[in-house]
Amino acid sequence: MRIQGRSDIPLNDTGRGQAVDAVGALSPYDWDFLVSSPLSRAAETADLIADGLGLTVTQRIPSLVERDYGLAEGLGAGAELEALREPGGPTGNGGFRGAEPEDDVADRGVDVLRMLARDYPGARIIVVSHGTLIRLSLIRILDRAIPTIANAALTVARSGPDGWTLDVLNGELLEPAGARPGGRACRDPAR
């Protein structure tokens, strides 16, 4: 329950168990390869998933690192963390002084997704990254609210001729686009 951010905190036994459990959620799909953040907790998660699925991790992509929370990294709820909040400040930095702006985080994540879609058209790629980067990237490409991303939870987004669609979020299958409010594709002309 601490803000990890870019601090390279190793994966613990709970995380290893979540990674092994993720193999079961991923195995019904056909995947081509994996890419991951170079932070050790994501890299080890990707290695465990790749091993469980008989795949290869082809790249550790620096832009997939988690958001830099600055001085808030390592802190849990309490007075010290609250002292770093910007009361009534802009939401672009998530409310913490010195944190990487949310727009910059989203830019990094979306750039990677667009690059993968462009360089590997039709490929089914597992991207192992970090919750805040994933959430902010999805908000940007889908232009909709996205809840907190759970650790090692399957989220499936697809790039197609009509833009990006979200099929699975935090392990929950979503209804097809247009079947319910908020279940929609987003045209992304800059893909």
Side-chain angles (χ1 to χ4, degrees), residues 69-95:
Y69 282 93
L71 296 174
E73 289 192 17
L75 299 179
E80 193 176 4
L81 182 62
E82 289 307 311
L84 294 174
R85 287 201 188 273
E86 292 185 334
T91 59
N93 68 357

Side-chain angles (χ1 to χ4, degrees), residues 154-175:
L154 176 65
T155 295
V156 178
R158 287 184 293 125
S159 175
D162 293 328
W164 290 87
T165 56
L166 187 62
D167 297 335
V168 178
L169 178 63
N170 279 331
E172 298 293 324
L173 185 63
L174 301 178
E175 295 179 34

Side-chain angles (χ1 to χ4, degrees), residues 16-28:
R16 286 183 194 94
Q18 290 172 333
V20 170
D21 290 346
V23 171
L26 292 163
S27 62

Side-chain angles (χ1 to χ4, degrees), residues 177-189:
R180 63 180 178 83
R184 61 190 169 108
C186 177
R187 184 131 184 95
D188 182 12

Side-chain angles (χ1 to χ4, degrees), residues 75-163:
L75 299 179
E80 193 176 4
L81 182 62
E82 289 307 311
L84 294 174
R85 287 201 188 273
E86 292 185 334
T91 59
N93 68 357
F96 295 111
R97 272 183 279 132
E100 179 182 12
E102 290 181 345
D103 281 344
D104 292 357
V105 178
D107 287 346
R108 287 193 289 111
V110 170
D111 286 350
V112 171
L113 292 176
R114 288 177 180 157
M115 178 272 299
L116 291 170
R118 180 192 67 234
D119 292 353
Y120 304 99
R124 295 147 310 193
I125 306 164
I126 298 172
V127 179
V128 179
S129 187
H130 307 276
T132 300
L133 180 126
I134 295 167
R135 186 178 64 80
L136 294 174
S137 300
L138 289 174
I139 289 169
R140 173 76 55 82
I141 64 171
L142 298 167
D143 192 28
R144 64 177 271 199
I146 300 291
T148 298
I149 301 297
N151 286 342
L154 176 65
T155 295
V156 178
R158 287 184 293 125
S159 175
D162 293 328

